[in-house]
Amino acid sequence: MQNWFAGDENGKGGIYNFVTKRGLCAGVNSKISWTQVETGSAITWKYPGCILVGDNSVGEFYSVALTNNKQQADTGTKMVHIGKNTRSTIISKGISAGRSNNSYRGQVKIGPKADGARNYSQCDSMLIGSDAGANTFPYLQVQNNTAKVEHEASTSKIGEDQLFYFTQRGVSSEDAISMMISGFCKDVFNQLPMEFAVEADRLLSLKLEGSVG
Amino acid sequence: MINENSEVILSVQNLTARIDNTPILKGVNLEIKAGEIHAIMGPNGSGKSTFSKVLAGHPDYTVTEGEIVFQGQNLLELEPEERARAGVFLAFQYPLEITGVSNLDFLRVAYNSSAKHHGLEELDAFDFDELVQKKLGLVKMDARFLDRSVNEGFSGGEKKRNEILQMALLEPKLAILDETDSGLDIDALKIVANGGERTGAAGQCNVTHHPLPTIAELCGARLCSCDGRRAYSHHWL
């Protein structure tokens, strides 16, 4: 969970967070799972990756990245499949509010000896308001014809009309956004321990306070 | 059925509203008393939907003149959620799809925010489930709707029924139905037509563009016609 100082409304004075994180699945049947909730810093570049060397090893990446004001986040993962029957799952949820920019950038590389390797990637973006941006950059390199690589992406938007639907039913805008964001992030937060997921939920609501309406 | 002495629920006077710089409502007058059902009619683009949205407080519209008094309160001073809690309900012409939020959660949060406002006990998931099951029967909806995301993948008719379910749960004082009759089969229409009565809505305002206003016919409404200038009500039939 990252929540660095993001600077003022224009990102002035905010921290730059450039991170390299890699994990090596060396043994047979080994597993690495990354789960990140990324809400901080003015500029973030972060790509926790897995190198799947051991046969049957598993790599997972679950991510929620939220940007507001003028924050920029460029985050994702690298899954390098080297061993046989290696599997990886990528679930990335990006939320952009204010005038921020949020990109998913991920590489899935299947080496020539990675027979039967499988990857499933799902990248969902949510825009709040009309000035935010979301991008998805998947890099897929497949050098083994028995491998199976899937990528799905979607973009949705919380607009004024959806908020009005909630408020017309007596629900405040803040609660409406929290509900929609929790729903959007459910797949990732389900990976977290319950108490932690509740905290993550609150952190997102806090970070989005006053961003709409 | 209409008692001339009954309480005035809604009084709209000289309501003038615009979107961006385009004037749409040019001095609308309307009075609704308890127990009355009105139909607002007019051709496409005459401002029927705008009128409904302005009553509910949609942020896109600016009210430049006139007043809306709802049960003694100046509605224009209230935020949309406050209007809703006070008992104004708008059944949307195009109900929105809300991905990731289950219909059940949505209904419960909406119900509880009204309950809280009225000093009633908020219901937990179990008690609410009991309540919602009863209301489902009222609008003849399948319980499977509750687990799906709000309106997501619903057919046109299902969305409209879902609006009526929400109306049945929230028990509004004033129900505004924006083209709720279009896209419904005759059975569903009857449910809607009787909806006001069954859900305990004190007044009802139907918005329709049909030349032969099916809903109005079914529930014996008073008619008003909206030509962007004024809505005048008179008995129909």
Side-chain angles (χ1 to χ4, degrees), chain A residues 191-212:
Chain A
Q191 301 295 322
L192 299 169
M194 209 263 277
E195 294 81 356
F196 198 64
V198 173
E199 290 295 314
D201 232 15
R202 283 197 197 138
L203 177 66
L204 294 192
S205 304
L206 205 68
K207 283 274 165 183
L208 283 171
E209 217 157 67
S211 66
V212 184

Side-chain angles (χ1 to χ4, degrees), chain B residues 10 12-30 40-43 45-58 60-68 76 83 207 225-231:
Chain B
L10 179 79
V12 178
Q13 267 168 21
N14 190 31
L15 185 66
T16 308
R18 54 176 65 217
I19 184 164
D20 298 324
N21 280 320
T22 316
I24 300 183
L25 301 180
K26 300 158 192 162
V28 177
N29 298 297
L30 178 68
I40 312 280
M41 293 164 59
S46 59
K48 304 181 297 294
S49 289
T50 297
F51 181 54
S52 326
K53 286 183 191 166
V54 169
L55 288 180
H58 194 288
D60 279 357
Y61 300 92
T62 317
V63 174
T64 47
E65 253 182 274
E67 58 170 20
I68 308 173
L76 294 174
R83 298 183 194 196
V207 176
S225 136
C226 183
D227 56 4
R229 212 173 303 279
R230 62 208 181 97

Side-chain angles (χ1 to χ4, degrees), chain A residues 160-162 165 168-170, chain B residues 58 60 84-85 90 163 166:
Chain A
E160 213 171 48
D161 281 329
Q162 274 172 314
Y165 194 56
Q168 212 304 300
R169 300 299 184 249
Chain B
H58 194 288
D60 279 357
R85 290 171 198 155
L90 169 64
E163 295 291 291
Q166 295 174 38

